Amino acid sequence: NAGVTQTPKFRVLKTGQSMTLLCAQDMNHEYMYWYRQDPGMGLRLIHYSVGEGTTAKGEVPDGYNVSRLKKQNFLLGLESAAPSQTSVYFCASSYSTPRKYFGPGTRLTVT
Amino acid sequence: GNSVTQMEGPVTLSEEAFLTINCTYTATGYPSLFWYVQYPGEGLQLLLKATKADDKGSNKGFEATYRKETTSFHLEKGSVQVSDSAVYFCALSDRDDYKLSFGAGTTVTVRA
């Protein structure tokens, strides 16, 4: 039982490049979330999904897109990376309860 | 909207010292409250939770009591260890909404 996994662990992008972060969970959770963590700001919700094929915006969705084609996967896309998107990205999943299970994070640097 | 305010760090302590991290919140209704911990290089893990007023969450020697009258959920541990060095996040969730609102996090370093 791997829990929540994230790919890749680290990435460096140049401004304007695109990339996709992959989150996978093997707990059959309905809900999945993408957060970003910045110093002094805690975690902020980017997008979330309440089930396969559904997505919704969180607090800071601009510049990101997501897809949930399969229940176990939640993809976060950056179409044109900007230095302001330098951050640590965490995926989380849950049942229909507030408790979240977090992945190990992806550290992204945009130069 | 919901918000969580944590005491600012960083906090540096000696082993066996008493730790308190203050957390206050603003929310409509009756939220559930959480403390998450992030050890170096890892994701967040749930440390403890409380779902209604006067509940006490506890785990690994840490405790926090849900105080509705003061809208607080302070984290305490009586005797910290080096292995408690981590970032601690206070968070809340509305009962009808499973999104979490996080505080800014408090970095705790325990020295031997």
Side-chain angles (χ1 to χ4, degrees), chain A residues 37 40-43, chain B residues 6-9 21 35 87-90 102-107:
Chain A
Q37 182 185 24
M41 302 188 74
L43 276 73
Chain B
Q6 280 181 244
M7 64 179 283
E8 293 186 13
I21 304 176
W35 278 100
V87 182
Y88 293 83
F89 292 92
C90 186
F102 285 89
T106 302
T107 300

Side-chain angles (χ1 to χ4, degrees), chain B residues 12-33:
Chain B
T12 302
L13 303 164
S14 297
E15 248 184 338
E16 299 183 4
F18 184 85
L19 171 68
T20 299
I21 304 176
N22 290 340
C23 171
T24 57
Y25 67 90
T26 302
T28 55
Y30 302 94
S32 295
L33 301 173

Side-chain angles (χ1 to χ4, degrees), chain B residues 25 53-54 66-72:
Chain B
Y25 67 90
D54 299 324
Y66 189 145
R67 300 286 187 201
K68 191 170 187 303
E69 64 276 13
T70 55
T71 60
S72 65

